[in-house]
Amino acid sequence: MTAEPFDTVVVGGGFFGATLATHVARGGARTLLLEAGPHLLGRASAINQARVHAGYHYPRSYLTGLRSRVNAPHFIEQYRECIYDAFTHYYAIGRVYSNVSAAQFRRFCERIDAPVAAAPPEVRRLFNPVFIEDVVEVPEFTFDADRLRERVARELGEAGVEVRLGAEALRVSRAGADGIEVQLRSGDAESSVIGRRVFNCTYSRLNRLHAASGLPIVPLKHELTEMALVTPPPELAHAGVTVMCGPFFSMLPFPPRGLHTLSHVRYTPHCSWSDAPGAVGLDGDEQLRRYPRISHFPHMVRDAARYLPLMRDCRAVESLWEVKTVLPRSEVDDSRPILFSRNHGLAGFHCVIGSKVDNAFDMLQYVVDAPEVMEPAR
């Protein structure tokens, strides 16, 4: 059977892959989006804090903070019906264990032009002054992943992107002078398609496709993470709290469930492993299936109560489990750059990882629209 030809094939139906596919299809390219799961935006794009980063979270990485500050308004404007802003977000700066002081945090916000305001006295009194140096109010929101999925699916359809769910990319290889063959499995059937350009946007499974295709392994760190869904204390029902910058916690509204997420720098990761050049680490999906999933919520809430005592009244409902992937260098300064590897071992085959939804705007501007990427591979 002859493999079906496309101008662009995007592997991975998360927010990055779907956004990329929509963008290139609007430019006139016949585009195919492949997603191994049953839904678009069904994994890391949905199982996270849903924070629309406005820069505040990255005082140790000026560039990451600045790009978030620039991109957040664009994301909010473009996806307005997906934004949840019916809460007040407070950032508390740790007095001990923090990597930045309150003065350093405020200077960072000034540098990236991110507005902050002093939290009201009644809010400041909720925090333990022994451990918290300052509390500020910031305009930072969350998004509704269910609404975002609906919006993305509509945009894909309007752009004419062919979407195949339950289609797993097994391997890629050269096909002729300027094509790349992608071998697929859908259920028990295998087939293949050919693209002039192929983008690997599979996030935590990026190196699985590389290894199966004999392509270079990208150094990555993976963490099996737990995001607790909780009922917040009544005083924080319409609030979000982020304590930083160190081994602290965040509690933010999670619109799809009408609950809050509770995450902790120390206790959200349950285990970790790495992919290194020449070798792929553990299979993240297999880890998720086998892991006993004993919740760290008691540890999270006990530690959170040291900084915000009323967190003792927080009640767990359930937990969301997923594999989180970052570049090793992000461990040093908490930066969140886009990974883009052009012609990754194969002309016309590119791989992309982004860690935040707002990164997608930088991807489209600096990665996808580069002439050397969008021209046919030779």
Side-chain angles (χ1 to χ4, degrees), residues 19-77:
T19 300
L20 191 157
T22 298
H23 183 76
V24 296
R26 285 171 174 166
R30 186 182 184 216
T31 304
L32 172 67
L33 177 62
L34 303 171
E35 167 53 44
H39 309 290
L40 295 171
L41 278 66
R43 295 286 304 269
S45 295
I47 303 175
N48 56 58
Q49 283 186 315
R51 186 196 306 257
V52 182
H53 281 279
Y56 302 99
H57 209 63
Y58 300 102
R60 292 191 293 144
S61 176
Y62 172 76
L63 182 57
T64 300
L66 179 62
R67 293 313 306 167
S68 292
R69 172 67 182 127
V70 170
N71 287 326
H74 297 304
F75 182 87
I76 292 169
E77 179 182 4

Side-chain angles (χ1 to χ4, degrees), residues 77-374:
E77 179 182 4
Q78 183 165 332
Y79 298 99
R80 193 67 192 84
E81 75 273 22
C82 308
I83 301 300
Y84 183 77
D85 58 5
F87 71 102
T88 306
H89 195 167
Y90 300 105
Y91 269 67
I93 313 305
R95 190 180 296 278
V96 294
Y97 310 125
S98 178
N99 294 306
V100 298
S101 67
Q104 289 171 327
F105 179 75
R106 285 181 175 272
R107 284 199 297 270
F108 166 76
C109 293
E110 290 175 2
R111 289 184 68 198
I112 66 170
D113 194 28
V116 297
E122 63 271 20
V123 172
R124 297 177 66 89
R125 285 194 290 269
L126 297 176
F127 291 83
N128 184 348
V130 174
F131 294 112
I132 296 297
E133 182 183 3
D134 195 12
V135 184
V136 297
E137 181 179 331
V138 304
E140 190 174 64
F141 313 125
T142 59
F143 65 88
D144 187 316
D146 288 348
R147 291 187 178 184
L148 187 62
R149 180 185 299 111
E150 294 170 0
R151 169 68 180 270
V152 165
R154 185 169 69 250
E155 291 180 341
L156 286 164
E158 292 170 351
V161 176
E162 181 177 332
V163 178
R164 298 186 188 177
L165 301 176
E168 180 184 5
L170 301 176
R171 62 192 65 86
V172 296
S173 59
R174 170 60 57 204
D178 60 359
I180 298 172
E181 183 176 4
V182 183
Q183 293 180 275
L184 313 173
R185 178 168 55 214
S186 299
D188 296 328
E190 292 194 10
S191 60
S192 63
V193 296
I194 291 179
R196 291 194 303 158
R197 297 171 296 270
V198 176
F199 292 89
N200 182 5
C201 301
T202 54
Y203 189 56
S204 64
R205 294 193 62 83
L206 192 85
N207 282 320
R208 298 288 153 183
L209 184 56
H210 294 172
S213 307
L215 301 178
I217 301 303
V218 178
L220 295 173
K221 179 182 178 181
H222 309 281
E223 295 176 337
L224 194 153
T225 63
E226 175 192 8
M227 194 74 63
L229 291 181
V230 304
T231 301
E235 298 90 336
L236 298 175
H238 302 289
V241 175
T242 298
V243 181
M244 59 183 315
C245 167
F248 306 128
F249 75 96
S250 288
M251 186 178 70
L252 295 173
F254 191 70
R257 298 290 303 276
L259 298 167
H260 281 50
T261 57
L262 177 62
S263 63
H264 195 290
V265 170
R266 181 178 292 128
Y267 298 116
T268 285
H270 279 238
C271 61
S272 65
W273 62 94
S274 297
D275 297 340
V280 176
L282 301 175
D283 186 316
D285 289 349
E286 188 65 20
Q287 283 289 95
L288 278 174
R289 283 192 291 268
R290 294 186 176 185
Y291 195 73
R293 302 192 181 190
I294 299 173
S295 178
H296 283 177
F297 170 77
H299 305 293
M300 294 183 194
V301 77
R302 187 180 304 118
D303 190 68
R306 292 200 298 164
Y307 306 95
L308 184 57
L310 56 76
M311 286 295 292
R312 297 188 184 95
D313 297 327
C314 195
R315 296 291 177 260
V317 177
E318 64 175 289
S319 290
L320 303 175
W321 301 80
E322 189 49 276
V323 177
K324 175 185 175 182
T325 298
V326 297
L327 301 178
R329 62 179 173 176
S330 296
E331 298 294 294
V332 177
D333 60 4
D334 202 34
S335 62
R336 291 296 184 271
I338 293 174
L339 165 72
F340 176 60
S341 182
R342 179 184 295 126
N343 299 319
H344 187 80
L346 196 62
F349 178 74
H350 316 295
C351 58
V352 184
I353 282 186
S355 56
K356 303 182 287 88
V357 290
D358 60 87
N359 275 149
F361 294 100
D362 287 337
M363 171 189 66
L364 298 182
Q365 183 175 357
Y366 299 113
V367 175
V368 180
D369 287 344
E372 60 270 32
V373 175
M374 298 311 294

